[in-house]
Short mmCIF file of all heavy atoms in Angstrom, two decimals:
data_model
loop_
_atom_site.label_atom_id
_atom_site.label_comp_id
_atom_site.label_asym_id
_atom_site.label_seq_id
_atom_site.Cartn_x
_atom_site.Cartn_y
_atom_site.Cartn_z
N MET A 1 37.40 13.71 8.07
CA MET A 1 36.18 13.21 8.45
C MET A 1 36.24 11.67 8.61
O MET A 1 36.89 11.05 7.77
CB MET A 1 35.12 13.50 7.36
CG MET A 1 33.83 13.22 7.88
SD MET A 1 32.41 13.51 6.83
CE MET A 1 32.82 14.84 5.67
N THR A 2 35.71 11.15 9.75
CA THR A 2 35.77 9.65 9.91
C THR A 2 34.37 9.02 9.50
O THR A 2 33.38 9.67 9.56
CB THR A 2 35.98 9.44 11.42
OG1 THR A 2 34.90 9.84 12.12
CG2 THR A 2 37.36 9.97 11.81
N LYS A 3 34.64 7.70 9.11
CA LYS A 3 33.38 7.02 8.77
C LYS A 3 32.89 6.10 10.05
O LYS A 3 33.81 5.63 10.65
CB LYS A 3 33.63 6.13 7.62
CG LYS A 3 33.79 6.81 6.34
CD LYS A 3 34.10 5.87 5.13
CE LYS A 3 34.41 6.61 3.85
NZ LYS A 3 34.56 5.84 2.67
N HIS A 4 31.71 6.03 10.13
CA HIS A 4 31.10 5.16 11.23
C HIS A 4 31.03 3.77 10.68
O HIS A 4 30.37 3.50 9.77
CB HIS A 4 29.69 5.66 11.66
CG HIS A 4 29.27 5.09 12.91
ND1 HIS A 4 28.85 3.75 13.07
CD2 HIS A 4 29.22 5.56 14.18
CE1 HIS A 4 28.55 3.50 14.33
NE2 HIS A 4 28.72 4.66 15.00
N GLY A 5 31.77 2.83 11.35
CA GLY A 5 31.84 1.50 10.99
C GLY A 5 30.62 0.57 11.07
O GLY A 5 30.51 -0.33 10.26
N SER A 6 29.70 0.96 11.97
CA SER A 6 28.56 0.18 12.12
C SER A 6 27.38 0.51 11.20
O SER A 6 26.36 -0.17 11.21
CB SER A 6 28.09 0.24 13.66
OG SER A 6 27.53 1.57 13.78
N ALA A 7 27.50 1.58 10.47
CA ALA A 7 26.45 1.97 9.51
C ALA A 7 26.39 1.03 8.35
O ALA A 7 27.44 0.71 7.83
CB ALA A 7 26.64 3.42 9.13
N SER A 8 25.26 0.56 8.01
CA SER A 8 25.14 -0.27 6.85
C SER A 8 24.15 0.31 5.83
O SER A 8 23.23 1.04 6.27
CB SER A 8 24.59 -1.61 7.24
OG SER A 8 23.52 -1.57 7.89
N PRO A 9 24.35 0.11 4.62
CA PRO A 9 23.44 0.66 3.58
C PRO A 9 22.08 0.04 3.71
O PRO A 9 21.94 -1.06 4.21
CB PRO A 9 24.08 0.13 2.19
CG PRO A 9 25.10 -0.83 2.52
CD PRO A 9 25.33 -0.78 4.10
N ARG A 10 21.12 0.86 3.46
CA ARG A 10 19.79 0.40 3.52
C ARG A 10 19.37 -0.55 2.37
O ARG A 10 19.88 -0.44 1.31
CB ARG A 10 18.76 1.57 3.42
CG ARG A 10 18.81 2.52 4.60
CD ARG A 10 17.70 3.51 4.45
NE ARG A 10 17.73 4.38 5.66
CZ ARG A 10 16.84 5.33 5.96
NH1 ARG A 10 15.72 5.33 5.29
NH2 ARG A 10 16.94 6.03 7.00
N LYS A 11 18.53 -1.52 2.78
CA LYS A 11 18.06 -2.55 1.88
C LYS A 11 17.18 -1.75 0.74
O LYS A 11 16.15 -1.09 1.13
CB LYS A 11 17.37 -3.67 2.51
CG LYS A 11 16.86 -4.60 1.55
CD LYS A 11 16.08 -5.77 2.41
CE LYS A 11 15.35 -6.73 1.54
NZ LYS A 11 14.47 -7.58 2.20
N GLN A 12 17.52 -1.85 -0.47
CA GLN A 12 16.73 -1.21 -1.45
C GLN A 12 15.51 -2.02 -1.75
O GLN A 12 15.40 -3.16 -2.16
CB GLN A 12 17.51 -1.01 -2.80
CG GLN A 12 16.83 -0.26 -3.94
CD GLN A 12 16.96 1.29 -3.55
OE1 GLN A 12 17.53 1.70 -2.52
NE2 GLN A 12 16.37 2.11 -4.35
N GLU A 13 14.29 -1.33 -1.60
CA GLU A 13 13.12 -1.98 -1.69
C GLU A 13 12.59 -1.71 -3.23
O GLU A 13 12.83 -0.73 -3.85
CB GLU A 13 11.96 -1.44 -0.84
CG GLU A 13 12.13 -1.73 0.60
CD GLU A 13 10.94 -1.38 1.47
OE1 GLU A 13 9.92 -1.18 0.97
OE2 GLU A 13 11.29 -1.11 2.58
N SER A 14 11.86 -2.80 -3.74
CA SER A 14 11.41 -2.79 -5.13
C SER A 14 10.22 -1.74 -5.04
O SER A 14 9.36 -1.75 -4.28
CB SER A 14 10.97 -4.08 -5.56
OG SER A 14 10.35 -4.08 -6.78
N ARG A 15 10.14 -0.86 -5.92
CA ARG A 15 9.09 0.06 -6.01
C ARG A 15 8.24 -0.10 -7.36
O ARG A 15 7.78 0.88 -8.06
CB ARG A 15 9.64 1.52 -6.10
CG ARG A 15 10.23 2.05 -4.83
CD ARG A 15 9.15 2.18 -3.87
NE ARG A 15 9.65 2.85 -2.67
CZ ARG A 15 8.81 3.15 -1.71
NH1 ARG A 15 7.50 2.91 -1.73
NH2 ARG A 15 9.38 3.82 -0.65
N THR A 16 7.92 -1.41 -7.59
CA THR A 16 7.03 -1.71 -8.76
C THR A 16 5.78 -2.45 -8.18
O THR A 16 5.98 -3.12 -7.20
CB THR A 16 7.73 -2.53 -9.71
OG1 THR A 16 8.20 -3.70 -9.22
CG2 THR A 16 8.89 -1.76 -10.46
N LEU A 17 4.66 -2.27 -8.86
CA LEU A 17 3.51 -2.92 -8.45
C LEU A 17 3.01 -3.74 -9.54
O LEU A 17 3.12 -3.39 -10.74
CB LEU A 17 2.42 -1.99 -7.96
CG LEU A 17 2.65 -1.13 -6.74
CD1 LEU A 17 1.49 -0.11 -6.49
CD2 LEU A 17 2.85 -1.96 -5.52
N ASP A 18 2.49 -4.93 -9.23
CA ASP A 18 1.76 -5.82 -10.37
C ASP A 18 0.85 -5.11 -11.00
O ASP A 18 -0.01 -4.38 -10.43
CB ASP A 18 1.37 -7.05 -9.60
CG ASP A 18 0.72 -8.06 -10.49
OD1 ASP A 18 1.48 -8.66 -11.33
OD2 ASP A 18 -0.46 -8.18 -10.37
N ALA A 19 0.65 -5.33 -12.42
CA ALA A 19 -0.45 -4.61 -13.13
C ALA A 19 -1.78 -5.05 -12.69
O ALA A 19 -2.77 -4.22 -12.68
CB ALA A 19 -0.17 -4.95 -14.57
N ASN A 20 -2.01 -6.26 -12.23
CA ASN A 20 -3.35 -6.78 -11.69
C ASN A 20 -3.64 -6.00 -10.46
O ASN A 20 -4.78 -5.62 -10.25
CB ASN A 20 -3.23 -8.21 -11.52
CG ASN A 20 -4.50 -8.88 -11.03
OD1 ASN A 20 -5.65 -8.28 -11.67
ND2 ASN A 20 -4.59 -9.61 -10.16
N LEU A 21 -2.68 -5.87 -9.60
CA LEU A 21 -2.80 -5.10 -8.27
C LEU A 21 -3.25 -3.66 -8.58
O LEU A 21 -4.17 -3.03 -7.90
CB LEU A 21 -1.60 -5.15 -7.41
CG LEU A 21 -1.67 -4.39 -6.15
CD1 LEU A 21 -2.85 -4.89 -5.16
CD2 LEU A 21 -0.39 -4.46 -5.39
N LYS A 22 -2.57 -3.03 -9.43
CA LYS A 22 -2.85 -1.62 -9.88
C LYS A 22 -4.36 -1.46 -10.33
O LYS A 22 -5.14 -0.51 -9.98
CB LYS A 22 -1.94 -1.12 -10.96
CG LYS A 22 -0.55 -0.84 -10.57
CD LYS A 22 0.29 -0.41 -11.68
CE LYS A 22 1.75 -0.25 -11.47
NZ LYS A 22 2.48 0.13 -12.56
N ARG A 23 -4.64 -2.47 -11.34
CA ARG A 23 -6.11 -2.44 -11.86
C ARG A 23 -7.07 -2.52 -10.65
O ARG A 23 -8.10 -1.84 -10.64
CB ARG A 23 -6.30 -3.52 -12.90
CG ARG A 23 -7.70 -3.57 -13.47
CD ARG A 23 -7.85 -4.78 -14.25
NE ARG A 23 -7.48 -6.06 -13.70
CZ ARG A 23 -8.20 -6.66 -12.81
NH1 ARG A 23 -9.28 -6.25 -12.45
NH2 ARG A 23 -7.87 -7.86 -12.26
N ARG A 24 -6.87 -3.52 -9.76
CA ARG A 24 -7.81 -3.80 -8.74
C ARG A 24 -7.90 -2.56 -7.78
O ARG A 24 -8.94 -2.11 -7.30
CB ARG A 24 -7.38 -5.07 -7.95
CG ARG A 24 -7.55 -6.24 -8.75
CD ARG A 24 -6.88 -7.39 -8.11
NE ARG A 24 -7.06 -7.59 -6.72
CZ ARG A 24 -6.07 -8.12 -5.93
NH1 ARG A 24 -4.90 -8.58 -6.42
NH2 ARG A 24 -6.16 -8.19 -4.59
N ALA A 25 -6.75 -1.86 -7.51
CA ALA A 25 -6.69 -0.69 -6.59
C ALA A 25 -7.31 0.42 -7.20
O ALA A 25 -8.15 1.16 -6.57
CB ALA A 25 -5.21 -0.38 -6.35
N ARG A 26 -7.15 0.58 -8.52
CA ARG A 26 -7.83 1.85 -9.22
C ARG A 26 -9.37 1.66 -9.15
O ARG A 26 -10.15 2.54 -8.98
CB ARG A 26 -7.25 1.94 -10.60
CG ARG A 26 -5.91 2.42 -10.61
CD ARG A 26 -5.47 2.61 -12.18
NE ARG A 26 -4.06 3.10 -12.19
CZ ARG A 26 -3.14 2.48 -12.80
NH1 ARG A 26 -3.39 1.38 -13.50
NH2 ARG A 26 -1.92 2.91 -12.79
N LYS A 27 -9.86 0.41 -9.33
CA LYS A 27 -11.34 0.12 -9.29
C LYS A 27 -11.69 0.39 -7.89
O LYS A 27 -12.82 1.22 -7.78
CB LYS A 27 -11.49 -1.25 -9.66
CG LYS A 27 -12.89 -1.67 -9.76
CD LYS A 27 -13.22 -3.11 -10.16
CE LYS A 27 -14.62 -3.43 -10.14
NZ LYS A 27 -14.85 -4.83 -10.51
N LEU A 28 -11.09 0.08 -6.85
CA LEU A 28 -11.66 0.36 -5.50
C LEU A 28 -11.47 1.80 -5.18
O LEU A 28 -12.26 2.33 -4.44
CB LEU A 28 -10.72 -0.56 -4.49
CG LEU A 28 -10.96 -2.04 -4.57
CD1 LEU A 28 -10.05 -2.73 -3.60
CD2 LEU A 28 -12.41 -2.37 -4.24
N ALA A 29 -10.54 2.54 -5.71
CA ALA A 29 -10.32 3.91 -5.39
C ALA A 29 -11.32 4.75 -5.98
O ALA A 29 -11.61 5.87 -5.47
CB ALA A 29 -9.02 4.34 -5.99
N THR A 30 -12.23 4.21 -6.86
CA THR A 30 -13.34 4.96 -7.38
C THR A 30 -14.72 4.34 -6.97
O THR A 30 -15.71 4.97 -7.33
CB THR A 30 -13.25 4.99 -9.00
OG1 THR A 30 -13.30 3.64 -9.46
CG2 THR A 30 -12.00 5.69 -9.43
N ASP A 31 -14.68 3.38 -6.28
CA ASP A 31 -15.93 2.74 -5.64
C ASP A 31 -16.47 3.47 -4.55
O ASP A 31 -15.87 3.55 -3.49
CB ASP A 31 -15.64 1.38 -5.24
CG ASP A 31 -16.82 0.41 -4.98
OD1 ASP A 31 -17.81 1.07 -4.72
OD2 ASP A 31 -16.69 -0.81 -4.93
N SER A 32 -17.64 4.03 -4.70
CA SER A 32 -18.34 4.94 -3.65
C SER A 32 -18.72 4.10 -2.43
O SER A 32 -18.97 4.70 -1.38
CB SER A 32 -19.56 5.69 -4.22
OG SER A 32 -20.48 4.84 -4.67
N ARG A 33 -18.71 2.76 -2.49
CA ARG A 33 -19.15 1.90 -1.30
C ARG A 33 -17.89 1.82 -0.39
O ARG A 33 -18.12 1.51 0.83
CB ARG A 33 -19.56 0.59 -1.82
CG ARG A 33 -20.76 0.54 -2.55
CD ARG A 33 -21.06 -0.84 -3.20
NE ARG A 33 -19.90 -1.15 -4.06
CZ ARG A 33 -19.85 -2.30 -4.69
NH1 ARG A 33 -20.70 -3.36 -4.37
NH2 ARG A 33 -18.83 -2.52 -5.47
N VAL A 34 -16.78 2.17 -0.82
CA VAL A 34 -15.65 2.17 0.05
C VAL A 34 -15.42 3.49 0.75
O VAL A 34 -15.68 4.48 0.17
CB VAL A 34 -14.26 1.93 -0.83
CG1 VAL A 34 -13.11 1.96 0.09
CG2 VAL A 34 -14.47 0.48 -1.61
N ASP A 35 -15.13 3.40 2.17
CA ASP A 35 -14.98 4.66 2.90
C ASP A 35 -13.99 5.68 2.21
O ASP A 35 -12.95 5.26 1.67
CB ASP A 35 -14.22 4.19 4.28
CG ASP A 35 -14.12 5.34 5.12
OD1 ASP A 35 -15.06 5.88 5.69
OD2 ASP A 35 -13.00 5.63 5.48
N PRO A 36 -14.37 6.93 2.23
CA PRO A 36 -13.52 7.90 1.54
C PRO A 36 -12.00 7.98 2.02
O PRO A 36 -11.11 8.09 1.26
CB PRO A 36 -14.16 9.25 1.79
CG PRO A 36 -15.70 8.91 2.06
CD PRO A 36 -15.48 7.55 2.75
N ARG A 37 -11.82 7.72 3.37
CA ARG A 37 -10.44 7.67 3.82
C ARG A 37 -9.66 6.47 3.29
O ARG A 37 -8.47 6.52 2.98
CB ARG A 37 -10.38 7.66 5.35
CG ARG A 37 -10.89 8.86 6.00
CD ARG A 37 -11.06 8.81 7.47
NE ARG A 37 -11.96 7.90 7.77
CZ ARG A 37 -12.07 7.23 8.99
NH1 ARG A 37 -11.16 7.51 9.94
NH2 ARG A 37 -13.04 6.37 9.26
N THR A 38 -10.37 5.26 3.18
CA THR A 38 -9.72 4.12 2.67
C THR A 38 -9.42 4.37 1.08
O THR A 38 -8.32 3.97 0.64
CB THR A 38 -10.63 2.90 2.71
OG1 THR A 38 -10.86 2.78 4.19
CG2 THR A 38 -10.00 1.52 2.29
N ARG A 39 -10.36 5.06 0.37
CA ARG A 39 -10.05 5.30 -1.00
C ARG A 39 -8.84 6.19 -1.16
O ARG A 39 -8.02 6.00 -1.96
CB ARG A 39 -11.29 5.93 -1.68
CG ARG A 39 -12.41 4.98 -1.83
CD ARG A 39 -13.51 5.41 -2.75
NE ARG A 39 -13.86 6.83 -2.61
CZ ARG A 39 -15.00 7.26 -2.12
NH1 ARG A 39 -15.89 6.57 -1.67
NH2 ARG A 39 -15.28 8.62 -2.12
N SER A 40 -8.68 7.21 -0.26
CA SER A 40 -7.49 8.03 -0.23
C SER A 40 -6.24 7.26 0.05
O SER A 40 -5.30 7.45 -0.55
CB SER A 40 -7.71 9.16 0.85
OG SER A 40 -8.64 10.06 0.30
N LEU A 41 -6.34 6.27 1.13
CA LEU A 41 -5.12 5.51 1.32
C LEU A 41 -4.72 4.62 0.17
O LEU A 41 -3.54 4.51 -0.21
CB LEU A 41 -5.56 4.62 2.37
CG LEU A 41 -4.54 3.52 2.99
CD1 LEU A 41 -3.29 4.30 3.51
CD2 LEU A 41 -5.11 2.61 3.93
N ILE A 42 -5.75 4.19 -0.59
CA ILE A 42 -5.46 3.36 -1.75
C ILE A 42 -4.81 4.21 -2.78
O ILE A 42 -3.79 3.81 -3.55
CB ILE A 42 -6.71 2.67 -2.38
CG1 ILE A 42 -7.24 1.59 -1.41
CG2 ILE A 42 -6.48 2.09 -3.74
CD1 ILE A 42 -8.53 1.02 -1.59
N ARG A 43 -5.27 5.40 -3.04
CA ARG A 43 -4.74 6.27 -4.13
C ARG A 43 -3.30 6.59 -3.76
O ARG A 43 -2.53 6.66 -4.57
CB ARG A 43 -5.62 7.56 -4.33
CG ARG A 43 -6.93 7.34 -5.04
CD ARG A 43 -7.63 8.59 -5.50
NE ARG A 43 -7.90 9.41 -4.36
CZ ARG A 43 -9.15 9.27 -3.65
NH1 ARG A 43 -9.98 8.42 -4.06
NH2 ARG A 43 -9.51 10.06 -2.59
N TYR A 44 -3.13 6.94 -2.57
CA TYR A 44 -1.77 7.29 -1.97
C TYR A 44 -0.85 6.18 -2.23
O TYR A 44 0.29 6.23 -2.61
CB TYR A 44 -1.71 7.71 -0.52
CG TYR A 44 -0.47 8.27 -0.07
CD1 TYR A 44 0.17 9.25 -0.54
CD2 TYR A 44 0.15 7.41 0.97
CE1 TYR A 44 1.37 9.68 -0.14
CE2 TYR A 44 1.41 7.81 1.40
CZ TYR A 44 1.99 9.00 0.94
OH TYR A 44 3.29 9.39 1.24
N GLY A 45 -1.25 4.91 -1.84
CA GLY A 45 -0.45 3.70 -2.00
C GLY A 45 -0.08 3.50 -3.48
O GLY A 45 1.03 3.14 -3.82
N LEU A 46 -1.01 3.79 -4.34
CA LEU A 46 -0.78 3.68 -5.87
C LEU A 46 0.32 4.78 -6.17
O LEU A 46 1.33 4.40 -6.99
CB LEU A 46 -1.95 3.86 -6.71
CG LEU A 46 -2.85 2.73 -6.88
CD1 LEU A 46 -4.21 3.07 -7.44
CD2 LEU A 46 -2.23 1.71 -7.69
N GLU A 47 0.23 5.97 -5.67
CA GLU A 47 1.12 7.05 -6.05
C GLU A 47 2.52 6.83 -5.54
O GLU A 47 3.39 7.00 -6.32
CB GLU A 47 0.60 8.33 -5.34
CG GLU A 47 1.37 9.55 -5.74
CD GLU A 47 0.84 10.83 -5.04
OE1 GLU A 47 -0.31 10.93 -4.79
OE2 GLU A 47 1.71 11.71 -4.67
N ILE A 48 2.71 6.16 -4.43
CA ILE A 48 4.01 6.08 -3.95
C ILE A 48 4.44 4.59 -4.26
O ILE A 48 5.52 4.23 -3.74
CB ILE A 48 4.20 6.32 -2.44
CG1 ILE A 48 3.33 5.35 -1.53
CG2 ILE A 48 3.87 7.74 -2.15
CD1 ILE A 48 3.66 5.48 -0.07
N LYS A 49 3.68 3.74 -4.79
CA LYS A 49 3.92 2.32 -5.07
C LYS A 49 4.30 1.53 -3.81
O LYS A 49 5.25 0.85 -3.75
CB LYS A 49 5.17 2.26 -6.21
CG LYS A 49 4.74 2.87 -7.45
CD LYS A 49 5.93 2.83 -8.42
CE LYS A 49 5.42 3.49 -9.64
NZ LYS A 49 6.54 4.11 -10.38
N ASP A 50 3.39 1.82 -2.87
CA ASP A 50 3.60 1.18 -1.55
C ASP A 50 3.37 -0.33 -1.66
O ASP A 50 2.40 -0.83 -2.07
CB ASP A 50 2.64 1.71 -0.55
CG ASP A 50 2.90 1.41 0.90
OD1 ASP A 50 3.70 0.51 1.13
OD2 ASP A 50 2.30 1.93 1.73
N GLN A 51 4.31 -1.12 -1.14
CA GLN A 51 4.20 -2.60 -1.15
C GLN A 51 3.15 -3.08 -0.21
O GLN A 51 2.65 -4.26 -0.40
CB GLN A 51 5.54 -3.13 -0.71
CG GLN A 51 6.67 -2.90 -1.65
CD GLN A 51 6.49 -3.20 -3.09
OE1 GLN A 51 6.14 -4.37 -3.38
NE2 GLN A 51 6.57 -2.37 -4.05
N SER A 52 2.65 -2.37 0.81
CA SER A 52 1.54 -2.78 1.62
C SER A 52 0.14 -2.57 0.92
O SER A 52 -0.86 -2.89 1.51
CB SER A 52 1.61 -2.14 3.00
OG SER A 52 1.37 -0.67 2.74
N LEU A 53 0.17 -2.05 -0.33
CA LEU A 53 -1.15 -1.79 -0.93
C LEU A 53 -1.84 -3.08 -1.19
O LEU A 53 -3.07 -3.09 -1.09
CB LEU A 53 -0.89 -1.11 -2.26
CG LEU A 53 -2.19 -0.70 -3.16
CD1 LEU A 53 -2.94 0.22 -2.36
CD2 LEU A 53 -1.67 -0.15 -4.54
N GLU A 54 -1.13 -4.05 -1.41
CA GLU A 54 -1.77 -5.43 -1.68
C GLU A 54 -2.63 -5.80 -0.43
O GLU A 54 -3.88 -6.45 -0.60
CB GLU A 54 -0.76 -6.48 -2.09
CG GLU A 54 -1.37 -7.81 -2.32
CD GLU A 54 -0.48 -8.89 -2.79
OE1 GLU A 54 0.74 -8.59 -2.76
OE2 GLU A 54 -0.86 -9.95 -3.41
N GLN A 55 -2.03 -5.64 0.66
CA GLN A 55 -2.86 -6.00 1.97
C GLN A 55 -4.13 -5.07 2.02
O GLN A 55 -5.21 -5.68 2.35
CB GLN A 55 -1.98 -5.61 3.19
CG GLN A 55 -2.58 -6.02 4.49
CD GLN A 55 -1.85 -5.60 5.73
OE1 GLN A 55 -2.47 -5.14 6.74
NE2 GLN A 55 -0.47 -5.59 5.65
N VAL A 56 -4.11 -3.95 1.77
CA VAL A 56 -5.25 -3.04 1.80
C VAL A 56 -6.23 -3.48 0.76
O VAL A 56 -7.46 -3.67 1.07
CB VAL A 56 -4.94 -1.55 1.53
CG1 VAL A 56 -6.08 -0.60 1.53
CG2 VAL A 56 -3.97 -1.03 2.71
N VAL A 57 -5.80 -3.65 -0.43
CA VAL A 57 -6.71 -4.14 -1.61
C VAL A 57 -7.38 -5.41 -1.25
O VAL A 57 -8.59 -5.58 -1.39
CB VAL A 57 -5.95 -4.26 -2.90
CG1 VAL A 57 -6.81 -4.92 -3.95
CG2 VAL A 57 -5.56 -2.82 -3.42
N ASN A 58 -6.62 -6.35 -0.65
CA ASN A 58 -7.22 -7.66 -0.26
C ASN A 58 -8.30 -7.57 0.77
O ASN A 58 -9.34 -8.23 0.66
CB ASN A 58 -6.03 -8.66 0.12
CG ASN A 58 -5.19 -9.17 -1.05
OD1 ASN A 58 -5.67 -9.11 -2.21
ND2 ASN A 58 -4.09 -9.54 -0.73
N ARG A 59 -8.02 -6.69 1.71
CA ARG A 59 -8.96 -6.53 2.79
C ARG A 59 -10.19 -5.87 2.43
O ARG A 59 -11.33 -6.23 2.66
CB ARG A 59 -8.27 -5.73 3.89
CG ARG A 59 -7.30 -6.48 4.66
CD ARG A 59 -6.41 -5.60 5.74
NE ARG A 59 -7.29 -5.00 6.68
CZ ARG A 59 -6.82 -4.22 7.61
NH1 ARG A 59 -5.52 -3.89 7.57
NH2 ARG A 59 -7.62 -3.73 8.52
N VAL A 60 -10.18 -4.91 1.47
CA VAL A 60 -11.41 -4.30 0.97
C VAL A 60 -12.12 -5.18 0.08
O VAL A 60 -13.35 -5.23 0.21
CB VAL A 60 -11.03 -2.96 0.13
CG1 VAL A 60 -12.30 -2.34 -0.48
CG2 VAL A 60 -10.43 -1.91 1.18
N GLU A 61 -11.42 -5.89 -0.74
CA GLU A 61 -12.06 -6.92 -1.62
C GLU A 61 -12.84 -8.04 -0.89
O GLU A 61 -13.85 -8.56 -1.22
CB GLU A 61 -11.18 -7.53 -2.68
CG GLU A 61 -10.75 -6.53 -3.74
CD GLU A 61 -9.84 -7.18 -4.65
OE1 GLU A 61 -9.12 -8.17 -4.33
OE2 GLU A 61 -9.68 -6.62 -5.81
N ALA A 62 -12.32 -8.27 0.32
CA ALA A 62 -12.93 -9.27 1.30
C ALA A 62 -14.07 -8.72 2.04
O ALA A 62 -14.76 -9.45 2.85
CB ALA A 62 -11.83 -9.78 2.30
N GLY A 63 -14.36 -7.45 1.87
CA GLY A 63 -15.62 -6.94 2.52
C GLY A 63 -15.40 -5.81 3.58
O GLY A 63 -16.23 -5.16 4.11
N GLU A 64 -14.10 -5.54 3.91
CA GLU A 64 -13.84 -4.59 5.01
C GLU A 64 -13.68 -3.19 4.22
O GLU A 64 -12.61 -2.89 3.60
CB GLU A 64 -12.52 -4.86 5.50
CG GLU A 64 -12.09 -4.04 6.72
CD GLU A 64 -10.84 -4.58 7.53
OE1 GLU A 64 -10.40 -5.64 7.18
OE2 GLU A 64 -10.32 -3.78 8.31
N MET A 65 -14.81 -2.42 4.26
CA MET A 65 -14.93 -1.15 3.53
C MET A 65 -14.17 0.03 4.19
O MET A 65 -13.93 0.99 3.51
CB MET A 65 -16.31 -0.78 3.21
CG MET A 65 -17.02 -1.81 2.32
SD MET A 65 -16.25 -1.88 0.75
CE MET A 65 -16.97 -3.26 0.10
N SER A 66 -13.68 -0.19 5.48
CA SER A 66 -13.01 0.93 6.07
C SER A 66 -11.82 0.36 6.75
O SER A 66 -11.87 -0.59 7.61
CB SER A 66 -13.94 1.60 7.22
OG SER A 66 -13.22 2.62 7.90
N ILE A 67 -10.60 0.86 6.47
CA ILE A 67 -9.41 0.28 6.97
C ILE A 67 -9.00 1.21 8.17
O ILE A 67 -8.68 2.36 7.87
CB ILE A 67 -8.29 0.20 5.88
CG1 ILE A 67 -8.76 -0.61 4.75
CG2 ILE A 67 -6.94 -0.27 6.52
CD1 ILE A 67 -8.89 -2.09 5.08
N ASP A 68 -8.97 0.75 9.36
CA ASP A 68 -8.62 1.57 10.48
C ASP A 68 -7.06 1.36 10.77
O ASP A 68 -6.46 2.33 11.50
CB ASP A 68 -9.41 1.18 11.71
CG ASP A 68 -10.85 1.53 11.48
OD1 ASP A 68 -11.21 2.44 10.92
OD2 ASP A 68 -11.73 0.71 12.06
N HIS A 69 -6.50 0.24 10.58
CA HIS A 69 -5.11 -0.03 10.82
C HIS A 69 -4.51 -0.92 9.87
O HIS A 69 -5.20 -1.63 9.23
CB HIS A 69 -4.96 -0.43 12.27
CG HIS A 69 -5.39 -1.86 12.49
ND1 HIS A 69 -6.71 -1.94 12.68
CD2 HIS A 69 -4.83 -3.03 12.55
CE1 HIS A 69 -6.96 -3.29 12.92
NE2 HIS A 69 -5.82 -3.99 12.70
N ILE A 70 -3.18 -0.94 9.69
CA ILE A 70 -2.49 -1.92 8.84
C ILE A 70 -1.46 -2.46 9.69
O ILE A 70 -0.59 -1.77 10.32
CB ILE A 70 -1.86 -1.11 7.63
CG1 ILE A 70 -2.93 -0.50 6.73
CG2 ILE A 70 -0.99 -2.04 6.78
CD1 ILE A 70 -2.43 0.36 5.73
N ASN A 71 -1.30 -3.77 9.60
CA ASN A 71 -0.20 -4.54 10.27
C ASN A 71 0.95 -4.67 9.41
O ASN A 71 0.75 -5.49 8.41
CB ASN A 71 -0.87 -5.86 10.77
CG ASN A 71 0.24 -6.58 11.56
OD1 ASN A 71 1.21 -6.03 12.15
ND2 ASN A 71 0.03 -7.90 11.75
N PHE A 72 2.05 -4.12 9.72
CA PHE A 72 3.21 -4.30 8.67
C PHE A 72 4.09 -5.46 9.31
O PHE A 72 4.58 -5.38 10.42
CB PHE A 72 4.09 -2.92 8.75
CG PHE A 72 3.52 -1.81 8.14
CD1 PHE A 72 2.93 -0.83 8.89
CD2 PHE A 72 3.28 -1.68 6.70
CE1 PHE A 72 2.21 0.32 8.34
CE2 PHE A 72 2.61 -0.61 6.12
CZ PHE A 72 2.16 0.46 6.95
N ASP A 73 4.16 -6.43 8.51
CA ASP A 73 5.16 -7.60 8.91
C ASP A 73 6.43 -7.21 8.60
O ASP A 73 6.79 -6.78 7.55
CB ASP A 73 4.70 -8.89 8.25
CG ASP A 73 3.18 -9.28 8.56
OD1 ASP A 73 2.82 -9.09 9.66
OD2 ASP A 73 2.61 -9.94 7.74
N SER A 74 7.29 -7.59 9.55
CA SER A 74 8.78 -7.38 9.34
C SER A 74 9.37 -8.70 8.73
O SER A 74 9.20 -9.78 9.30
CB SER A 74 9.57 -7.02 10.52
OG SER A 74 9.35 -8.00 11.48
N ASP A 75 9.98 -8.63 7.55
CA ASP A 75 10.52 -9.79 6.84
C ASP A 75 11.90 -10.11 7.38
O ASP A 75 12.71 -9.43 7.57
CB ASP A 75 10.51 -9.50 5.37
CG ASP A 75 9.08 -9.41 4.82
OD1 ASP A 75 8.17 -9.89 5.52
OD2 ASP A 75 8.91 -8.89 3.78
#
């Protein structure tokens, strides 16, 4: 079997979330003023420890109660 020389290992992403972010996200996930789909997105983000969760939490705390899209910035 041959190895493909151009393949490179994937960059390992950190799968930890700040305790403060978790607390804020859990609070929003139970807030009935937040759109149910957005609450589900927050709960899922907590479950998989998604790094984009901070963006969602910040937007909801800023008054955006329904998240229709997320812009993923490439670093």
